[in-house]
Amino acid sequence: MSWRGILLNALVLFFTITSYGQANILNADSPEEIGKKTEAQIQSDLNDEPLEYGYVGERDILWSKNVWEKIDLDERVNFPLYYPIDVNNIGDNRRSLYDVLISAIKDGKIKKIYADSYFNEERTLEDIQATLSKVDTTNLGIEQYNAGEEVDPQFIDRRDLGAADIAQYHIRGMWYFDKRQAELKYRLLGIAPVAPDVNFIDSGQSDLVELFWVFFPDAREVLHENSAYTIGGSGQSITFDHLLNSRRFNALIYKEDNVYGDRPIDDYIVDNAFMELLESQRIQEQIRNFELDMWSY
């Protein structure tokens, strides 16, 4: 990406950093006033909206490539997307990215979710319920059921996936060269939380599965309303929308659009994690070098 693009992103982040601490905490005369916004803050929030994407005409795109990436939440740089996982002792304004997404889906703020990253097959909350939770009956409950009795609730085990269970996020985005601005740009298109299969999660032998896909532009309003706690402290937090749009995370490409039907890397490099990593880095360098090659004479 050119220096102009880097500078623009830096300026956007500088002016959109929001306070993650509790509102009015420094001006409160009593604990009851903590969290209550002033009239000026309320008026400011009314005009606080996500930064709109500019229109990109098809003729303006000289080159583009769709890539699918995985964000590993074990990496320290990606912790703002994972924590907090225990929200019993903190305020409502501090939630993990998964909690923000699933709460918005349940509240109807995110109206559409999808089965895959191509957004062809819509899902509802009821459709994915079996993916998010497991309900099982203990042996004593089965005995009650076989005896024709009503199963006591204490003999029913329920296991719900939570923020602590999310291991990765899969994202789909497009790198494109805007010939009007002579700049390589990135547009995030979709995001999916990834967790072990809830039916086998406690056995320790479960494969990771994508829970659902969200079309990112549909979720921007919700993500803009919630902030991520960054390593810089409560005064240096930014919204999830800004964090994801500015790519303040580390990700690894696992698939790109290609003539083989968007074949994933692990389909043609099997059982060799090191070579898969090198292939991912090769694709990344190929994308970066495209902009540099545009200025080579």
Side-chain angles (χ1 to χ4, degrees):
M1 185 175 291
S2 67
W3 284 107
R4 183 173 59 181
I6 295 174
L7 180 60
L8 179 61
N9 285 333
L11 290 173
V12 169
L13 286 175
F14 178 78
F15 288 111
T16 54
I17 285 177
T18 59
S19 175
Y20 200 61
Q22 291 173 297
N24 204 39
I25 190 169
L26 297 179
N27 301 312
D29 295 325
S30 65
E32 290 74 17
E33 295 181 9
I34 297 177
K36 295 182 179 180
K37 296 183 178 181
T38 64
E39 288 297 326
Q41 289 173 319
I42 294 174
Q43 291 299 320
S44 176
D45 290 345
L46 292 177
N47 299 321
D48 189 18
E49 297 180 352
L51 186 65
E52 291 187 12
Y53 291 144
Y55 175 77
V56 181
E58 294 294 330
R59 295 182 178 180
D60 297 336
I61 301 177
L62 181 64
W63 171 90
S64 66
K65 178 180 283 291
N66 280 279
V67 293
W68 288 256
E69 300 170 274
K70 61 179 69 172
I71 303 174
D72 190 345
L73 298 182
D74 278 339
E75 297 185 36
R76 183 177 178 83
V77 69
N78 297 329
F79 280 179
L81 298 174
Y82 180 65
Y83 289 102
I85 56 176
D86 183 2
V87 296
N88 293 325
N89 298 318
I90 58 177
D92 293 337
N93 62 329
R94 292 191 59 180
R95 290 294 182 268
S96 69
L97 177 58
Y98 176 75
D99 283 335
V100 170
L101 290 175
I102 200 67
S103 296
I105 292 171
K106 291 178 179 179
D107 295 341
K109 295 181 180 179
I110 297 178
K111 301 188 183 334
K112 294 182 180 181
I113 53 179
Y114 299 86
D116 55 39
S117 60
Y118 296 96
F119 313 113
N120 293 324
E121 190 174 351
E122 288 189 25
R123 289 283 190 266
T124 64
L125 184 60
E126 291 74 18
D127 294 333
I128 65 171
Q129 199 60 48
T131 307
L132 303 179
S133 61
K134 175 185 69 172
V135 179
D136 199 3
T137 306
T138 64
N139 292 333
L140 292 177
I142 294 175
E143 291 179 5
Q144 284 186 327
Y145 179 79
N146 291 336
E149 303 175 2
E150 183 178 353
V151 180
D152 195 303
Q154 66 177 322
F155 300 137
I156 298 178
D157 292 333
R158 183 182 181 90
R159 176 66 160 89
D160 295 320
L161 289 178
D165 300 312
I166 306 302
Q168 299 175 355
Y169 283 98
H170 286 179
I171 59 174
R172 176 191 171 189
M174 174 186 284
W175 288 98
Y176 65 95
F177 190 85
D178 190 329
K179 65 181 182 181
R180 284 185 177 271
Q181 300 187 26
E183 185 179 1
L184 184 67
K185 295 184 178 181
Y186 177 79
R187 181 72 60 85
L188 185 57
L189 300 177
I191 185 168
V194 180
D197 189 329
V198 69
N199 296 298
F200 307 100
I201 188 172
D202 296 322
S203 66
Q205 300 178 349
S206 176
D207 294 330
L208 297 178
V209 296
E210 296 173 349
L211 304 182
F212 54 84
W213 276 89
V214 173
F215 187 55
F216 188 76
D218 286 346
R220 290 195 65 205
E221 192 73 36
V222 171
L223 297 178
H224 181 74
E225 296 170 356
N226 294 269
S227 296
Y229 189 90
T230 62
I231 299 175
S234 59
Q236 296 295 322
S237 61
I238 61 173
T239 67
F240 283 113
D241 177 60
H242 296 146
L243 185 148
L244 292 167
N245 272 311
S246 58
R247 292 187 61 86
R248 292 184 58 174
F249 54 81
N250 186 50
L252 186 68
I253 295 175
Y254 69 89
K255 185 170 70 169
E256 63 171 335
D257 53 359
N258 50 51
V259 296
Y260 303 103
D262 301 344
R263 181 176 60 174
I265 291 176
D266 58 9
D267 275 5
Y268 60 91
I269 300 178
V270 182
D271 297 331
N272 193 326
F274 179 68
M275 293 304 296
E276 290 180 17
L277 176 61
L278 292 181
E279 176 66 6
S280 175
Q281 292 177 345
R282 183 193 68 80
I283 297 172
Q284 288 177 335
E285 285 300 315
Q286 185 183 50
I287 293 171
R288 292 192 190 103
N289 289 338
F290 182 86
E291 182 179 35
L292 297 176
D293 293 343
M294 293 297 296
W295 304 106
S296 298
Y297 296 96

